[in-house]
Amino acid sequence: MKEKLDEILGRAIRELDQADQPQRLEELRVAYTGKKGELTSILRGMGSLSPEERPVIGARANEVRAKIEAKLAEAAARMKKKEEERRLAGETIDVTVPGTPCRIGSRHPLTLVRREIEDIFTSMGFSVAEGPEVEFGYYNFDALNTPANHPARDVQDTFYFSDNMLLRTQTSSVQARFMENHKPPLRMICPGAVYRSDDVDATHSPFFHQIEGLIVDRNIGLSDLKGALTQFSQMFFGPETRVRFRPHHFPFTEPSAEMDVSCFACGGAGCRLCKGEGWIEILGAGVVHPNVLRMAGIDPEIYSGYAFGIGQERLALLKYKIDDMRLLFENDTRFLHQFY
Ligand code: DAH
């Protein structure tokens, strides 16, 4: 019986060493140490042994059982480890594989220009205001001293919702709104979209953007206007930039002017960009008309001011050397990605 026990132990160890599936391990456990297993049947047969043999064989049988159980545990641990290694190998991440590129957006040229203009004017003490694009005729025209028969009020030029409601044609409307809520001294700029009944071409669009400026205080005059806008132009286009004022007419300013900057491409000699002129027009401006102040409840005997309106698209086209305004509105990302 002792030989039989040794034989069982040897066989069990061999088979357990070879086992490589949890299922096989379970089969072996049942076959050797289970209720109907080989060891159990040996122990059952101990009754036929002599009293001297019985404790010796019994001790040996227990020893063999303990060894087989230890071996079973060892095989189970080995399998678990192997399974873990297999899983880990499957889950390996190669951190050196190049990632999937994610497309990062860029700022629209109009946004870039607006922010730059805002930075320049806020550094001069202007605050940034906003106003509605759907506007009353009153703020767009009447409060700006624009008579009922003015050509800009024609349906040919302006989109109307009704007799007194329209899409604003100029950010100047915000001047009138701002003066209703703020008393002088005041200094504001207002960027925003405006609408005109225009056909689309390389330099026109029914939808475009302006930046309005307004300052009202004591003793403000044309020289202040000239100083601030010269400063702005040199910060935006470069320190060599010169400015030129040409007389013009706007109902809400008197005197009124259009302002040109010396061409930053040729320095004023004349080139393709400035169409040989040496100068490029960028804004309209003037000294605020006393009627405009009066309508806003500000006494023109005490206060005066200046105002201006900058074409945002114009500046974007110039700054980024874009030769067709339509590119700004087509939303072709191949174009837009060039600016930052
Ligand atoms: N609103 C004018 C336009 O759209 C531009 C302008 C001119 C604005 C003179 C002003 C100004 O504030 O004083 O053409």
Side-chain angles (χ1 to χ4, degrees), residues 325-333 336:
M325 186 166 152
R326 286 168 286 201
L327 287 165
L328 295 176
F329 301 122
E330 279 167 358
N331 288 338
D332 184 336
T333 51
L336 294 175

Side-chain angles (χ1 to χ4, degrees), residues 133-135 159-167:
E133 292 173 24
V134 176
E135 185 56 284
F159 294 113
Y160 283 91
F161 294 104
S162 65
D163 280 353
N164 68 350
M165 198 164 261
L166 45 79
L167 284 172

